[in-house]
Amino acid sequence: MRSRADERIRPYTAGLDEALARVVRDTTAHIGAIYLLGPRGDATDDGEQVLLMEAEIGLPGQIVKPWTRIRTNASAPVAAAVRRRRLIWVPDRQEMAARFPGAALALPYRFACVAVPLWDGSRLWGALVLLWPASRPAELTAVERETVEAAAHNMATLLGQAADSGHALEPADEPRVLPQGRALMPDPHAAMAGYLDRLRGACVALNLDGVITFADATAAALLGSDVADLRGKPLWEVAAWLKDPVFEDRCRAAVVSQELTWCTARHPDGRELRFWLYPDPSGISLRITPAAQDDPANAYPRDPSAGAAGMHRVDVYYNFLHMVAGLTRALNVREAVDLIADHVMPVFRAAAMAIVIAEGGRMRIVGSHGYPADVLDRFDGLPLNAPTPVAQVLRSGEPLFAGGWSELGELYPELSRDDPMQAWAFLPLAVSDDIFGTCVLAFDQPHPFTAEQRATLTALAGMMGPALDRALVYDTKDRLSHTLQTSLLPGSLPEIAGLEVAARYVPATRGVGVGGDFYDLIKLDDTTVAAVIADVQGHNMTAAALMGQVRTAIHAHAATGAGPGDVLMHTNRLLIDLRADLFTSCLLVYINLRLRTLCAANAGHLPPLLRPPSMPAEVIDVPPGVLLGIDFDADYPTVQTPFPPGAVLALYTDGLVESPGTDLDEAIGGLAAHLTRACDEPLEHLTDGLLDHAPHTRHRADDIALLLLQHRAACG
């Protein structure tokens, strides 16, 4: 960052300041700011460049900090102007909520704004932003547009000249706060003092930095000081009890929106006081009155600092902050829907919610809370051209609010009244301007939606959209992964006289794609089979492809009559030739029912368990050779052991026994003990019992493959 004392750049910064002050004055805007693109070295962790506020006019220095640094990919007009290289006009909060939900939640106030890129035709430097009160006309006039664009071009030209002279401007550590507003009035004369006294309230004037520039005697008494001592001091220094989130929010709202607002606060002596805030570009005038029951302010339905359902704005946004934080961690639609229901329905006192997406030309309900199943069934699967509010929002991307059946009936006279709810908010869900769904919030009582609620709900839907889209993509990939996994496993196992077989594959519960575990059973002749259990490194499509190659190689080499050690040796060399860069553990067991023996070879896999009839289960110590795909010259010695009638052989992958902090040998011993205790159980029941024995049954970090084989005879 540059030093402010650098005299070589002072003419250029002075030129920018003059241009900003002029365009604010000429357009009657009450706030203006210049953003410059930060150096590449100041980019975010993901490489995204940032916009840094260089200078501003009309905002107090203490409240501008949250908006001094904005990512170029942010949901904000200034970032959009830079990305799109064109003027962005937002006439009101409703449109801000629909187009830039992130900015609407960060700046939940009423104002109009324009953002223009500082672009000289070849180089982009940043952006100019101007704000007006929301009461101004909804359209930007041709003169205003010309004035703003000319100012932005002049600023870009000035920045280009600075760079060409070798004195390129880089944003300073903090933005320059330029003075604005008319000079403060002198002390009031007697007529003014009389006027203030007749208001029967305390009067305080603040500049934009919150410094007291005037206070009458009533205010001085209320604040516990005298008039002379108050002047020139920050309000929060003399009245620490006003350093409250609600009061601070109302001050920000007054400055940004330039509209009258008010709130209540409790004096240290217990009195409830109402603060009326009258803003202009130079500061805020406060009028403080008792919050009595007969106060004219009771004509208002509620404190304007309150948001949904009468909750204070800070409480509403606290709930939404937690929801947005949670949505970043939601990995599937069920989690996302539950988070939205937990944080949105109570805030707005909604009785029901449904998430509907467009799929194959029809509406599909992917999640709901509070709606009867029969109502959902009647709407699920309707075509997108159906005359329903959900379909209209999906087609248009515009939110729709109905405070009661009369409003909804006017729009959709043929709509069935099967829905037991009495009011609805239909909110578009979008990602990158693509409308993919609708969030329906429903109420069991008529609910007139205020402008504040409409804007808040629209902005909220804008935050929900990307998170739900990510969850839908995750669910789709998860289904595809599991489908692929299933297709790579054997569809059925061969039937061998005298051998009973049970097998299971259980995918991990979250955080992974397709698994690398698999089992197989290969019939070699009428009395001999090859049983395979393996675990390919990784959880992705590459691992799945390698799994298929390992299965094919083992089948091919076993069919030639090679023994288990030779089959693993040839498969290992094939994987090295393929340069798969992934390793595989594999246990291969040949079972000869006629000779009542088994012969096993091991490539770095967990040892098999054998439960002979009327005996405890034990580990078969098969020498663990090198994992497949590492050493071209590796060999795999074999071990032969009896496999009498009634014996059970268990082959498994590490997901069945491994968990953090657990000794692997102890875990395998516990599995053997369970296999021993379940001596009399049918093989299918035994398989289920072993899976239930696995650690982290509900939330598995790894997938599990399990293959049980029993030489048919009584276990006894």
Side-chain angles (χ1 to χ4, degrees), residues 455-469:
T456 300
L457 284 168
T458 304
L460 179 64
M463 304 298 288
M464 289 158 43
L468 281 166
D469 182 67

Side-chain angles (χ1 to χ4, degrees), residues 258-341:
Q258 290 292 289
E259 292 182 331
L260 166 67
T261 186
W262 59 274
C263 66
T264 57
R266 185 180 295 276
H267 191 274
D269 64 11
R271 283 180 292 168
E272 286 286 336
L273 301 173
R274 179 161 286 114
F275 287 76
W276 299 88
L277 292 82
Y278 299 83
D280 79 355
S282 65
I284 302 174
S285 294
L286 300 179
R287 177 171 171 256
I288 309 169
T289 61
Q293 291 297 317
D294 59 350
D295 194 292
N298 288 321
Y300 289 83
R302 67 180 191 278
D303 188 332
S305 67
M311 294 179 69
H312 281 297
R313 188 196 304 271
V314 289
D315 295 327
V316 173
Y317 286 98
Y318 177 80
N319 274 273
F320 292 168
L321 177 65
H322 279 270
M323 184 201 72
V324 172
L327 286 175
T328 62
R329 300 188 298 271
L331 286 179
N332 55 54
V333 173
R334 181 72 268 166
E335 289 184 11
V337 171
D338 288 346
L339 276 165
I340 293 168

Side-chain angles (χ1 to χ4, degrees), residues 600-625:
N602 190 357
H605 200 80
L606 297 176
L609 298 177
L610 178 65
R611 189 198 68 194
S614 302
M615 294 180 63
E618 58 186 11
V619 173
I620 302 177
D621 189 13
V622 185

Side-chain angles (χ1 to χ4, degrees), residues 306-381:
M311 294 179 69
H312 281 297
R313 188 196 304 271
V314 289
D315 295 327
V316 173
Y317 286 98
Y318 177 80
N319 274 273
F320 292 168
L321 177 65
H322 279 270
M323 184 201 72
V324 172
L327 286 175
T328 62
R329 300 188 298 271
L331 286 179
N332 55 54
V333 173
R334 181 72 268 166
E335 289 184 11
V337 171
D338 288 346
L339 276 165
I340 293 168
D342 291 345
H343 290 283
V344 176
M345 290 177 62
V347 171
F348 288 91
R349 298 178 185 169
M353 184 192 78
I355 303 294
V356 187
I357 65 169
E359 186 175 82
R362 294 184 176 275
M363 295 182 285
R364 182 167 72 89
I365 298 172
V366 296
S368 67
H369 275 262
Y371 257 120
D374 59 330
V375 174
L376 298 176
D377 290 342
R378 282 192 290 273
F379 286 92
D380 198 17

Side-chain angles (χ1 to χ4, degrees), residues 129-142:
V129 180
L130 299 174
L131 273 65
W132 291 265
S135 56
R136 62 148 289 143
E139 297 296 330
L140 198 65
T141 68

